[in-house]
Amino acid sequence: KCRTGPLDIVFVIDSSRSVRPFEFETMRRFMMDIISNLDVGPNATRVGVIQYSSQVQNIFSLKTFFTRADMERAINSIIPLAQGTMTGLAIQYAMNVAFSTQEGARPPHKRVPRIAIVVTDGRPQDRVAEVATQARNAGIEIYAVGIQRADMNSLRAMASPPLEEHVFLVESFELIQQFAKQFQDKLCGVDMCVEREHGCQHSCISTPGSFYCECNPGYRLNVDGKTCSPIDACADGRHGCQHHCVSVRGSYLCRCRPGYYLSHNKRSCTLIDYCSFGNHSCQHECVSIPNGHYCRCRSGFTLQPDSKSCRATDLCNGVDHGCEFKCVSTEGSYHCVCPEGQQLQADGKTCSKCGAGHVDLVMVIDGSKSVRPQNFELVKQFVNRIVDLLEVSPHGTRVGLVQYSSRVRTEFPLNKYHSADEIKKAVMDVEYMEKGTMTGLALKHMVEHSFSELEGARPLSHNIPRIGLVFTDGRSQDDISEWARRAKESGIVMFAVGVGKAVEEELRAIASEPVEQHFSYSADFTTMTHLVENFSLNICPEEGKGETEIRSPCECEALVQFQTNTVAILQSLTEKNILWARSLAQMTARLEDLEKQIANKK
């Protein structure tokens, strides 16, 4: 093995179109033969590989691999570039990049030899003499290996002197492996640190044919080139200073970082407690830090812009509360509430769904180019939030989806899916149309097709409410008035949702009466999820119960239920009146007692 000391070796391999595949395989074996006999490692020999044709490609740098197995895997994975032959460009890259300390080359003061092995089969298409001279002047030893068609003058122009030791011309690719042994002998010699009495006090570093001494950190090499002296009294690391050691006339003293003071032992440092000065004015807590302090609020409170006072945190805006309908913030906490007529579920977040009434719901969403792809994904999430409110089943609530732009497309009809999960997955798979805004055409399609029995709408005789929800972000490019009127005349309860540049006049024309309960608007797509709350009451009608007969409120059972509810309300009012009367009596007694005390004092 090559154990003469550390080397930084970079192979510069020609992969131009003139190098045939089997010839390039021989180059691979040449590199691996040399690497197999090197003592590779982070503190021994480091190896890098670049290939070039009309451009330069870094295969791996000097800092990438430190085992032969890793290097061989990387070499076997090289794909030739198969272009021109820009050898000068490759040497320039090796000098400026491959042999930089950023890419793993040892710093110049370490005096680790830098060796470039250039292997080429042809004449360079650029100038190599000038850049090769610059590389040699930068301390890079260049070996030029030419194969078959290589130009000897170019090889001599790039190689280091003496040329007889640095220029090699191999007649065929078959001979290059035999040459690897001869070439390795040039790189490997006697380990001078082992073979000779070096006399280094700390470390001996071997180089080809010689060696040099190095000192441990904190020491400097004396003029004799062998012995070492401490740079200062802090260099040996035994001073015990917690923060900083300062050398002073052969001795040292300890210093602390700003914001700390030196303790009595003159070594450790203690943080200055700026909060103890009594001038921080923090409403809740003062926290001392180096060079000052800052105020901190207790859990459930937020620091105000004055950086001193605190206010109870609105957790509904600051956390992912997960409330399905509405979040109500309290001091340091929050709780979820549901709309009137729905109950909060056991998880404390979701509300009972539209189980009391069944509907046929068709949602018509705007897919015009003004919506934009990222906002269209938010629209689909909005649709699925509404689906979460519903009890979807073939005999319960049915849902259909229509998308429109310059044309109209049924994404799925009312009778396509029979569960909320199926619908939500289908919604997320909808592809954005991205064209015009023909809202009137979409309304026409909804009336004529979406609510037809052929597409799954139940007959009007079944008393199933038909609900249409139209979502748009801008002005329609066609007239909407006629088909908005026909939709409502046909018994469809219409909801209108507008975002961004949606026109309020058009939204009101689409919405059913009372209009205020059937249209909503949000200025931004990212904040439109709150609109779901506006529909949670109106989209779940109590009266729609499939084919169930609607009973008269005058029947016996209805009267009994009415009487029971009325008695409960009256009883509650009576209890409140009794409490109020007691409180009034207590207050009257106290007033009489005070009057007696005043009279006695007189």
Side-chain angles (χ1 to χ4, degrees), residues 47-62:
V47 179
V49 176
I50 62 177
Q51 69 166 335
Y52 73 93
S53 59
S54 297
Q55 57 184 326
V56 182
Q57 181 186 38
N58 181 45
I59 305 303
F60 59 86
S61 62
L62 292 167

Side-chain angles (χ1 to χ4, degrees), residues 126-141:
D126 57 354
R127 296 183 178 181
V128 298
E130 182 179 350
V131 67
T133 300
Q134 294 174 358
R136 294 194 298 268
N137 292 339
I140 300 174
E141 186 177 2

Side-chain angles (χ1 to χ4, degrees), residues 207-345:
T207 61
S210 184
F211 70 91
Y212 64 91
C213 298
E214 270 196 357
C215 295
N216 295 336
Y219 291 82
R220 62 172 174 267
L221 194 66
N222 294 327
V223 292
D224 61 7
K226 297 181 181 294
T227 61
C228 302
S229 298
I231 295 174
D232 55 45
C234 296
D236 59 8
R238 294 179 293 179
H239 48 78
C241 297
Q242 182 179 354
H243 285 179
H244 303 299
C245 175
V246 180
S247 181
V248 180
R249 296 180 182 177
S251 183
Y252 69 91
L253 57 87
C254 298
R255 286 183 181 171
C256 297
R257 294 194 294 268
Y260 294 81
Y261 63 89
L262 196 63
S263 302
H264 294 298
N265 61 12
K266 302 300 181 182
R267 285 179 170 79
S268 60
C269 299
T270 303
L271 180 67
I272 299 173
D273 186 4
Y274 289 95
C275 293
S276 64
F277 299 165
N279 61 348
H280 53 75
S281 302
C282 296
Q283 183 179 351
H284 284 183
E285 300 173 6
C286 174
V287 180
S288 185
I289 58 174
N291 291 329
H293 71 279
Y294 69 90
C295 295
R296 182 171 62 193
C297 297
R298 294 191 295 271
S299 177
F301 291 82
T302 303
L303 193 65
Q304 296 304 289
D306 63 6
S307 299
K308 295 181 179 180
S309 58
C310 302
R311 186 178 66 186
T313 302
D314 184 359
L315 293 179
C316 289
N317 291 329
V319 300
D320 184 11
H321 52 76
C323 296
E324 180 179 328
F325 177 68
K326 183 180 294 184
C327 174
V328 177
S329 183
T330 58
E331 186 173 316
S333 184
Y334 69 90
H335 65 273
C336 302
V337 297
C338 292
E340 183 179 356
Q342 296 189 34
Q343 293 183 342
L344 193 66
Q345 299 298 291

Side-chain angles (χ1 to χ4, degrees), residues 391-421:
E391 290 287 355
V392 178
S393 68
H395 301 292
T397 293
R398 300 181 183 180
V399 178
L401 183 66
V402 172
Q403 183 186 177
Y404 72 95
S405 58
S406 297
R407 56 190 179 88
V408 184
R409 181 174 70 204
T410 297
E411 300 295 351
F412 52 85
L414 288 166
N415 56 4
K416 176 72 172 179
Y417 299 112
H418 306 306
S419 71
D421 288 340

Side-chain angles (χ1 to χ4, degrees), residues 295-509:
C295 295
R296 182 171 62 193
C297 297
R298 294 191 295 271
S299 177
F301 291 82
T302 303
L303 193 65
Q304 296 304 289
D306 63 6
S307 299
K308 295 181 179 180
S309 58
C310 302
R311 186 178 66 186
T313 302
D314 184 359
L315 293 179
C316 289
N317 291 329
V319 300
D320 184 11
H321 52 76
C323 296
E324 180 179 328
F325 177 68
K326 183 180 294 184
C327 174
V328 177
S329 183
T330 58
E331 186 173 316
S333 184
Y334 69 90
H335 65 273
C336 302
V337 297
C338 292
E340 183 179 356
Q342 296 189 34
Q343 293 183 342
L344 193 66
Q345 299 298 291
D347 61 5
K349 297 181 182 295
T350 59
C351 302
S352 59
K353 298 185 178 181
C354 297
H358 301 142
V359 299
D360 285 346
L361 170 64
V362 174
M363 287 180 275
V364 182
I365 59 174
D366 186 347
S368 60
K369 62 183 177 182
S370 62
V371 174
R372 298 183 180 178
Q374 64 270 29
N375 290 331
F376 191 71
E377 294 301 312
L378 296 177
V379 173
K380 293 195 290 186
Q381 294 176 22
F382 172 79
V383 169
N384 281 345
R385 287 284 300 275
I386 294 177
V387 174
D388 284 334
L389 294 172
L390 310 172
E391 290 287 355
V392 178
S393 68
H395 301 292
T397 293
R398 300 181 183 180
V399 178
L401 183 66
V402 172
Q403 183 186 177
Y404 72 95
S405 58
S406 297
R407 56 190 179 88
V408 184
R409 181 174 70 204
T410 297
E411 300 295 351
F412 52 85
L414 288 166
N415 56 4
K416 176 72 172 179
Y417 299 112
H418 306 306
S419 71
D421 288 340
E422 290 179 315
I423 292 173
K424 290 168 68 175
K425 182 181 184 303
V427 169
M428 297 312 294
D429 291 340
V430 169
E431 295 184 357
Y432 179 35
M433 296 176 74
E434 194 176 5
K435 288 186 180 179
T437 311
M438 304 293 284
T439 312
L441 184 64
L443 292 172
K444 180 178 184 293
H445 180 91
M446 180 193 70
V447 174
E448 294 182 340
H449 300 284
S450 301
F451 282 107
S452 66
E453 294 182 27
L454 181 64
E455 293 200 3
R458 284 161 286 194
L460 293 173
S461 60
H462 288 187
N463 295 321
I464 302 294
R466 295 181 173 182
I467 296 179
L469 192 155
V470 179
F471 180 95
T472 182
D473 84 319
R475 183 183 295 275
S476 175
Q477 295 174 340
D478 60 353
D479 180 62
I480 66 165
S481 58
E482 178 183 356
W483 287 102
R485 176 180 55 79
R486 288 197 189 186
K488 288 175 280 191
E489 289 177 351
S490 67
I492 303 172
V493 179
M494 296 297 296
F495 287 86
V497 181
V499 177
K501 297 181 179 180
V503 180
E504 181 177 348
E505 179 183 352
E506 292 186 354
L507 297 176
R508 289 180 173 274

